[in-house]
């Protein structure tokens, strides 16, 4: 049988199952919070996620080569990937936290703890979206038009997009659409600015600092370059939503010998990019400014090591992206909320960078963000996620494939 039930029926079922499974969802999230999972050390959180993916009825539960936790629901032609990361940023000082960061506590209708809002609440949302989906498909006794992959991702805090790139390019999973459960407070996110780190270098000739005339200072050559890079801010590309790109000199380095004229000098430049800018266009603009002053430019290389021991070093380059009005993925997100709660959510862009820099920015896979987590609690000592919103997000992730998949 291949009849699609009315979406209003599936939506009612998704809401009811989200409520029925809510306690299990909260227990899973509390377990995840209690497991320390700094970037590159996600193994225990990955294992806990695999256990839950099996328990909720996923097939093909496994760890990919970069150490991401994966499970699948359905086996249809349209492939969706739900991505939320398991790694958290590091706690600077536990004494500043109202509750110990690794001891989850429910207070005022929210679950508190490290990573609750970034991004373990997102992981609990997509895993329980899959749980509801599994139950609905079982009750319908029909083949799905879609395949949903649920991904407990690694490495996001230090090198967003690197683990997702590995899944797509190394392990060969090619989704048609990616949904990201980074903080959106139950609104939709359709894009982000990009960023990259550019290194500019000058070289000279070393000499003893007591006879500076015998040398050629790379540091003095750098001074007009810093001014020229700063002056570029007035003419960087603009975008109607994201505003103007920016760049800032953030580091200066040279040989650590205070009694020598430095033979080399290098600066780091943090560049915030608009969708459409490329590594080539950025380097060309910077080289035009620094080349005549004696500087050379390159994109920095970022060292990245997974908890499985794989070295994923790559350019420190994270392109921006933006999903246009009327895109079927954006419309499906709006309709999913409409069917579930009778109202369309707000649509916005992210201030920070996400795994979407790879999926949408580099690979061109349509990407959309939705989650219960709130940006104001991200990387904050009052890290928490609202439990009512957590339940709603699971319903969203269960219904979305029914809304999106039938369209061609
Ligand atoms: Zn995050």
């Amino acid at each position: 049988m291949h009849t699609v039930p009315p979406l209003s029926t599936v939506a009612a079922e998704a809401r009811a199952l989200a409520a029925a499974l809510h306690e299990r969802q909260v227990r899973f999230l509390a377990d995840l919070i209690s497991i320390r999972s700094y970037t590159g050390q996600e193994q225990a959180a990955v294992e806990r996620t695999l256990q839950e993916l099996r328990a909720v009825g996923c097939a093909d539960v496994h760890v990919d080569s970069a150490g991401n936790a994966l499970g699948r629901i359905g086996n249809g032609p349209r492939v969706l990937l739900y991505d939320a990361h398991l790694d958290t940023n590091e706690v600077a000082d536990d004494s500043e936290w109202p509750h110990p960061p690794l001891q989850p506590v429910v207070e005022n209708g929210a679950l508190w703890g490290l990573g609750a809002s970034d991004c373990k609440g997102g992981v609990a949302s997509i895993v329980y979206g899959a749980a509801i989906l599994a139950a609905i498909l079982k009750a319908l006794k029909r083949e799905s038009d879609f395949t949903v992959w649920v991904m407990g991702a690694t490495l996001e805090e230090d090198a967003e997009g690197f683990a997702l790139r590995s899944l797509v390019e190394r392990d060969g999973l090619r989704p048609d659409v990616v949904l990201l459960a980074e903080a959106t407070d139950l609104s939709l996110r359709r894009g982000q600015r990009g960023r990259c780190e550019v290194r500019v270098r000058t070289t000279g000739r070393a000499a003893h600092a007591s006879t500076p005339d015998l040398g050629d200072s790379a540091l003095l050559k750098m001074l007009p370059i810093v001014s020229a890079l700063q002056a570029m801010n007035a003419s960087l590309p603009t975008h109607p939503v994201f505003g103007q790109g920016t760049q800032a000199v953030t580091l200066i380095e040279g040989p650590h010998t205070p009694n020598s004229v430095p033979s080399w000098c290098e600066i780091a430049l943090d560049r915030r990019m608009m969708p459409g800018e490329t590594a080539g266009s950025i380097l060309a603009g910077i080289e035009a400014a620094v080349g005549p002053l004696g500087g050379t430019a390159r994109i920095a290389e970022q060292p990245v090591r997974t908890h499985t021991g794989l070295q994923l070093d790559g350019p420190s380059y994270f392109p921006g992206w933006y999903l246009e009005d009327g895109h079927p993925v954006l419309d499906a997100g709006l309709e999913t909320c409409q069917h579930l709660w009778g109202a369309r959510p707000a649509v916005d862009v992210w201030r920070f960078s996400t795994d979407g820099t790879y999926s949408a920015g580099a690979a061109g896979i349509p990407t959309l963000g939705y989650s219960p987590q709130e940006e104001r609690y991200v990387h904050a000592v009052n890290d928490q996620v609202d439990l009512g919103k957590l339940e709603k997000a699971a319903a969203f992730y269960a219904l979305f494939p029914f809304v999106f998949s039938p369209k061609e």
Side-chain angles (χ1 to χ4, degrees), residues 132-200:
I132 298 166
L133 202 46
I136 291 175
L137 289 175
K138 198 170 169 189
L140 289 176
K141 292 192 178 61
R142 59 184 281 270
E143 291 296 307
S144 56
D145 303 322
F146 48 79
T147 301
V148 172
W149 282 98
V150 177
M151 176 192 196
T154 57
L155 301 173
E156 199 279 341
E157 290 289 342
D158 283 6
E160 67 272 22
F162 278 51
L164 181 54
R165 176 189 293 276
S166 175
L167 173 66
V168 173
E169 297 181 5
R170 185 181 293 264
D171 295 7
L173 195 156
R174 176 83 201 184
D176 299 307
V177 54
V178 171
L179 296 196
L180 295 177
E182 291 274 8
T184 77
D185 196 8
L186 301 186
S187 65
L188 296 168
R189 292 285 187 275
R190 54 154 48 168
Q192 64 174 84
R193 294 201 298 180
R195 68 179 181 97
C196 71
E197 180 189 335
V198 178
R199 290 273 169 160
V200 176

Side-chain angles (χ1 to χ4, degrees), residues 204-407:
R205 189 175 61 252
H208 197 278
S210 63
T211 53
D213 291 352
L214 298 179
D216 177 20
S217 171
L219 177 56
L220 292 178
K221 281 186 193 170
M222 191 60 88
L223 299 180
I225 289 177
V226 170
S227 302
L229 290 170
Q230 201 56 34
M232 283 176 69
N233 272 295
S235 56
L236 292 177
T238 60
H239 182 275
V241 174
F242 295 101
Q244 185 160 35
T246 56
Q247 62 184 26
V249 175
T250 51
L251 276 179
I252 185 159
E253 293 174 341
H256 291 261
T257 48
N259 59 351
S260 298
V261 171
S263 61
W264 64 272
C265 182
E266 191 167 290
I267 57 170
L269 184 72
D270 177 291
R271 172 73 171 261
R272 300 289 154 159
M273 318 180 297
M274 299 296 113
E277 288 192 271
T278 64
S281 71
I282 283 163
L283 277 181
I286 289 170
E287 275 163 357
V290 307
L293 299 169
T296 56
R298 65 184 168 86
I299 303 281
E301 188 78 359
Q302 178 152 353
V304 175
R305 189 176 167 85
T306 69
H307 71 86
T308 53
L310 190 64
Q311 209 67 35
L312 291 181
D313 307 11
S316 184
Y317 173 72
F318 305 89
W321 54 281
Y322 186 72
L323 200 60
E324 297 296 336
D325 278 339
H327 193 286
V329 173
L330 181 57
D331 286 350
L334 292 166
E335 283 171 36
T336 299
C337 294
Q338 179 82 47
H339 285 297
L340 283 167
W341 304 294
R344 296 196 158 209
V347 181
D348 201 350
V349 292
W350 273 305
R351 246 52 64 190
F352 52 81
S353 184
T354 70
D355 275 353
T357 184
Y358 172 71
S359 58
I365 302 166
T367 299
L368 184 67
Y370 186 86
S371 94
Q373 307 162 126
E374 298 172 50
E375 277 187 64
R376 61 185 162 144
Y377 301 129
V378 170
H379 296 192
V381 296
N382 57 348
D383 199 347
Q384 60 186 276
V385 65
D386 180 271
L387 292 177
K389 292 176 182 176
L390 187 73
E391 181 181 316
K392 285 184 151 188
F396 175 92
Y397 279 101
L399 185 64
F400 184 88
F402 291 99
V403 178
F404 177 66
S405 293
K407 291 191 217 155

